[in-house]
Amino acid sequence: MGRITNLRDLIGMIKDKASQSKAALVSKPRTSSLHLALLRATTHDSLTPPSQRHLAVFLSFGQGSRAIASAAVEALMDRLQTTRDASVAVKCLIVVHNVVKHGSFILQDQLSVYPSTGGRNYLKRSDFRDNTSPLTWELSSWVRWYALYLEHLLSSSRVLGFFLGSSSSTVDKDKEEEKVSAFMNSDLLRDIDTLASLLEETSKRPDSIHAQGNKLVEEIMVLVGEDYLSAINEISIRVNEFNHRENCLSFGDSVELVCALKRLDDCRESLVELSQRKRAMIESFWGLIYEVRDKVGNEKVYRENKRILVKTGSREKGSESARYGDRVVGYGESIRSMSGRSLSMKKLPFAVAESIGL
């Protein structure tokens, strides 16, 4: 097994040298350094992730013109789509992730609109298989999942209007809360839904047996763990806003919110090992999720029971309607009271008023 691994590493080193030599000779002068930087960041070595130095060199191509940034993203995507080596594919995806987190606006923008013909980012490698060894076979499952995860990350970023976890998009929390306070309920629900989908995808990451302790996998976990902290921060701001609006939520909004919070709770256990940092922040987040879910959920049940009671009361026979001639108007008032008005005892049938505690 060790001999095969060593032979494979040797072949990988030869491929890396050949690719770099070819890039230096064949590439246009303007892009030769770009291709060399990418090749050095995405070698065939299955034990070590891209170095910070090589990542920094590649990201620096986003500091120039839009044409150079576009060429960098195109070269990265081309290498990702053509390689059959699991180590190279993982490293390409790590580079993509670093573009999202640390790339310039121009580089991020080119990533978000790739391919140039429009449509979704072509990151998915659902058919990727490298059966060279048990390690590469297991790394292949990480390639398939990581590509899909990054698709979700990019999709969530489009919905939010900024790249989640990006150092260039970091804003003051007070300003973020002020901005979110102006959102409509539908906007808040949309954001929470897309972030819940991201965390659900995060929870589906592969198990590791042969890849346990592998530096490539550890690097992925570090990057995803940082996204996890960014995601729960954004979710908590929006859920806390709903906490302030709890008394004026419609029944439909309450149902959607409780369902989204339930989805988050369902994937909590599988997210535990993602981050050992900021434990107090994480525990506070889950406490908020449970508090708002229970509060809004109980209010939802109360309102639904009241709605059913009121609706049932309105279907009484005409003889009872004669006894309570102003009942129809009363129900209109009772429905409007859900948004804050007090219920009028005079405008409700005695049985209904008694049932809801008036």
Side-chain angles (χ1 to χ4, degrees):
M1 181 68 189
R3 182 180 177 183
I4 295 175
T5 302
N6 290 336
L7 178 59
R8 183 177 182 278
D9 290 344
L10 178 60
I11 294 173
M13 290 175 63
I14 295 172
K15 286 182 177 180
D16 290 334
K17 293 293 184 183
S19 297
Q20 292 173 29
S21 298
K22 181 181 178 181
L25 293 172
V26 177
S27 300
K28 298 177 181 178
R30 290 180 60 198
T31 59
S32 62
S33 57
L34 185 162
H35 286 283
L36 285 171
L38 176 60
L39 290 171
R40 288 165 181 160
T42 58
T43 63
H44 289 74
D45 177 14
S46 61
L47 300 178
T48 55
S51 70
Q52 291 301 311
R53 180 169 64 88
H54 290 145
L55 283 171
V57 172
F58 181 80
L59 294 177
S60 69
F61 291 99
Q63 303 294 334
S65 68
R66 188 170 296 274
I68 293 296
S70 177
V73 170
E74 186 174 354
L76 174 58
M77 293 299 181
D78 183 62
R79 184 152 174 79
L80 171 63
Q81 298 306 319
T82 57
T83 186
R84 297 181 180 180
D85 187 281
S87 303
V88 173
V90 167
K91 291 179 184 181
C92 285
L93 292 170
I94 289 175
V95 175
V96 170
H97 207 159
N98 274 271
V99 170
V100 172
K101 296 181 71 64
H102 306 296
S104 66
F105 172 78
I106 294 177
L107 200 59
Q108 291 174 339
D109 183 57
Q110 290 303 304
L111 178 65
S112 69
V113 299
Y114 182 89
S116 58
T117 53
R120 294 172 63 85
N121 287 280
Y122 191 48
L123 294 179
K124 291 182 180 178
R125 297 302 312 266
S126 58
D127 60 344
F128 186 88
R129 301 288 188 281
D130 181 352
N131 58 4
T132 306
S133 70
L135 173 60
T136 59
W137 180 256
E138 197 162 284
L139 283 178
S140 297
S141 66
W142 281 90
V143 171
R144 296 191 296 273
W145 170 79
Y146 195 24
L148 184 56
Y149 168 82
L150 289 174
E151 280 280 0
H152 275 78
L153 180 63
L154 289 166
S155 177
S156 297
S157 297
R158 292 190 191 99
V159 172
L160 295 171
F162 58 87
F163 284 91
L164 184 69
S166 170
S167 55
S168 62
S169 299
T170 303
V171 295
D172 183 81
K173 187 174 181 180
D174 291 338
K175 292 182 179 179
E176 178 73 359
E177 290 175 349
E178 183 179 353
K179 181 184 75 173
V180 167
S181 67
F183 284 5
M184 297 179 65
N185 288 348
S186 58
D187 297 326
L188 294 174
L189 288 168
R190 177 204 62 200
D191 289 358
I192 293 174
D193 178 71
T194 192
L195 289 166
S197 296
L198 178 65
L199 293 189
E200 285 175 331
E201 187 58 43
T202 304
S203 69
K204 298 174 185 177
R205 63 192 180 281
D207 294 325
S208 294
I209 300 176
H210 296 94
Q212 202 164 31
N214 182 273
K215 296 296 183 181
L216 289 175
V217 172
E218 290 179 357
E219 180 68 12
I220 294 173
M221 292 293 285
V222 168
L223 293 169
V224 173
E226 292 172 352
D227 291 343
Y228 171 53
L229 294 177
S230 296
I232 65 175
N233 181 63
E234 295 298 333
I235 294 171
S236 64
I237 291 173
R238 288 154 177 79
V239 172
N240 198 49
E241 178 62 26
F242 270 127
N243 198 20
H244 296 316
R245 302 183 188 184
E246 181 258 333
N247 289 328
C248 58
L249 287 180
S250 69
F251 178 72
D253 289 344
S254 298
V255 172
E256 285 191 54
L257 178 59
V258 170
C259 289
L261 299 183
K262 177 64 167 58
R263 287 167 57 200
L264 288 169
D265 185 29
D266 288 343
C267 61
R268 178 186 180 180
E269 186 175 344
S270 61
L271 298 172
V272 170
E273 65 180 86
L274 268 181
S275 180
Q276 300 304 316
R277 301 186 301 114
K278 300 187 178 181
R279 301 306 304 174
M281 170 188 167
I282 294 173
E283 290 304 318
S284 176
F285 166 75
W286 288 112
L288 176 65
I289 295 300
Y290 298 145
E291 176 191 348
V292 175
R293 184 194 64 183
D294 293 343
K295 184 189 295 184
V296 174
N298 290 337
E299 179 68 13
K300 172 175 71 71
V301 172
Y302 169 77
R303 289 183 182 181
E304 176 64 3
N305 287 339
K306 184 166 68 173
R307 185 185 67 81
I308 292 172
L309 286 168
V310 171
K311 186 175 181 181
T312 302
S314 67
R315 291 177 180 174
E316 294 295 331
K317 300 296 183 181
S319 58
E320 287 194 34
S321 297
R323 293 169 56 193
Y324 304 102
D326 60 344
R327 183 164 57 183
V328 175
V329 177
Y331 289 129
E333 290 295 321
S334 68
I335 292 172
R336 286 195 295 273
S337 71
M338 294 180 188
S339 63
R341 296 188 183 184
S342 60
L343 291 167
S344 173
M345 182 72 171
K346 296 178 181 179
K347 295 180 180 179
L348 287 174
F350 176 76
V352 177
E354 184 179 51
S355 298
I356 61 177
L358 295 177

